[in-house]
Amino acid sequence: MIRIAVANQKGGVGKTTTAINLATALAATGWKVLLIDLDPQGNASTGLGVHQSERARSSYELLTGDCTLDEAVIATKVPRLDLIAATVDLSGAEIELVEYEERTHRLDKALNGASERWDICLIDCPPSLGLLTINAMVGARSLLVPLQCEFFALEGLSQLLNTVERIRARFNPELSILGVALTMYDRRNNLTEQVAEDVRACLGNVVFDTVIPRNVRLSEAPSYGVPALIYDIRCAGSEAYMGLARELIGRLPLKAKAVAA
């Protein structure tokens, strides 16, 4: 199973929107997808229409070892897309996990014991570089970074990249950066164009060609409990995420793509 963490310690960059719609786009192409909501806010779970009453077992119980991955899985409204939901209990996990043995490898162990039901797993991380995000990076094999097209876009990115290097050196030598996705792109704004140029000049081919535009439909969809690709498949945001999914698949190693085929 291919494992990708969707992470950025900066909030409001479209991370959860990217995780939800990218997972839906991959499912639409025929892939069997698992989305793990590792953010205590649980926005990915809400955005997929999974209510609090349906979250009897969540990513919190998965990390603490109170349930297996298969026991925590919830089928969503999207064909071929399953979810491990998040609850507010995760907010205390950062402290609780300190007492656990191999606290940085809790998610990795859970994923290693998973069945072969899924081709790919996306992990929606909280907006921080705490223990939950570290668990995601240790459990993942690749990292996708949503980056908002604003003046402070690159601020903090170096910290994230340094964290990736430390994780690679100490815990997970397989971790690599799959790509950086520019989000909230507004062609009418000259600053947006300048920021995009600066990011590409700094990071080069790491940045995906596909950009995610500012789009009202992307903002509206979560309130209806469905991804934008279901809410309005013809909107600019949905088309962009379909393009990003195709580009992401093209970047996966041939071996990984063969496993998922």
Side-chain angles (χ1 to χ4, degrees), residues 21-22 25 210 212-213 215 217-218 221 227-246:
N21 288 290
L22 191 56
T210 304
I212 309 302
N215 183 250
R217 295 301 198 189
L218 289 178
L229 273 81
I230 292 178
Y231 181 64
D232 185 353
I233 195 170
R234 293 182 178 85
C235 74
S238 295
E239 291 177 354
Y241 277 115
M242 288 298 293
L244 182 62
R246 288 191 293 269

Side-chain angles (χ1 to χ4, degrees), residues 127-170:
S128 70
L129 293 177
L131 199 49
L132 293 176
T133 299
I134 290 173
N135 259 273
M137 290 186 181
V138 173
R141 298 298 174 262
S142 302
L143 184 69
L144 190 155
V145 184
L147 197 66
Q148 184 180 359
C149 291
E150 64 167 22
F151 182 73
F152 296 111
L154 292 174
E155 188 179 78
L157 182 60
S158 59
Q159 183 183 358
L160 176 64
L161 298 180
N162 288 336
T163 300
V164 171
E165 288 301 323
R166 289 197 298 271
I167 296 294
R168 186 184 289 139
R170 294 186 59 189

Side-chain angles (χ1 to χ4, degrees), residues 25-43:
L26 290 168
T29 64
W31 289 48
K32 290 173 287 185
V33 184
L34 174 65
L35 175 60
I36 300 179
D37 189 351
L38 216 58
D39 188 342
Q41 297 178 77
N43 290 337

Side-chain angles (χ1 to χ4, degrees), residues 75-90:
T76 71
K77 303 172 185 176
V78 181
R80 293 181 296 277
L81 173 56
D82 292 328
L83 171 75
I84 294 182
T87 62
V88 70
D89 291 336
L90 267 180

Side-chain angles (χ1 to χ4, degrees), residues 106-120:
R106 303 295 296 183
L107 183 61
D108 185 48
K109 285 191 172 184
L111 289 171
N112 287 338
S115 64
E116 297 301 317
R117 292 166 53 183
W118 305 283
D119 301 314
I120 190 166

Side-chain angles (χ1 to χ4, degrees), residues 170-190:
R170 294 186 59 189
F171 304 121
N172 183 8
E174 295 182 48
L175 183 65
S176 63
I177 297 184
L178 186 62
V180 173
L182 297 176
T183 61
M184 303 181 187
Y185 190 91
D186 187 352
R187 296 186 185 279
R188 301 167 299 178
N189 189 328
N190 291 333

